[in-house]
Amino acid sequence: MRKIDTSKLINAETVLTAKYGAPGTESRREFDEKARAYYYGVILRDRRKELKMTQKELAEKAGMVRSYIARVERGETDIQLSSFLRIAHALRISFTPTFS
């Protein structure tokens, strides 16, 4: 059995702090927002592809333009909740929002 030298392992938080700053800083907040937008875009894109739907078809169902759908899927735009809900509905994604 091969032994792993764990003294050289670092955790994700250490990497993120070194590259984007400590949690709570402006640079870290910007990174977190971009990461979240990318994550939501991946979820929506994967569902669209699962349904074998084109971006144009999704845009038409959601009452939007294809270029906006493309930007959302790439995480390049700050999607509003109302837009997210319209896209989710067009993709037959149902969820119950919780507020705390």
Side-chain angles (χ1 to χ4, degrees), residues 13-55:
E13 185 58 43
T14 301
V15 174
L16 290 173
T17 298
K19 188 164 184 174
Y20 300 105
T25 61
E26 183 64 21
S27 58
R28 183 63 172 270
R29 186 189 61 74
E30 288 175 10
F31 167 78
D32 289 343
E33 285 178 5
K34 288 178 183 178
R36 198 173 303 108
Y38 176 80
Y39 175 71
Y40 292 139
V42 168
I43 291 170
L44 296 173
R45 183 194 65 221
D46 288 351
R47 176 62 175 162
R48 176 182 61 76
K49 288 183 175 186
E50 183 180 292
L51 295 174
K52 298 181 182 358
M53 188 183 296
T54 66
Q55 288 180 343

Side-chain angles (χ1 to χ4, degrees), residues 59-75:
E60 289 170 357
K61 282 187 118 178
M64 300 173 175
V65 295
R66 190 209 58 81
S67 60
Y68 179 72
I69 298 296
R71 287 194 315 276
V72 167
E73 288 185 357
R74 290 191 305 265

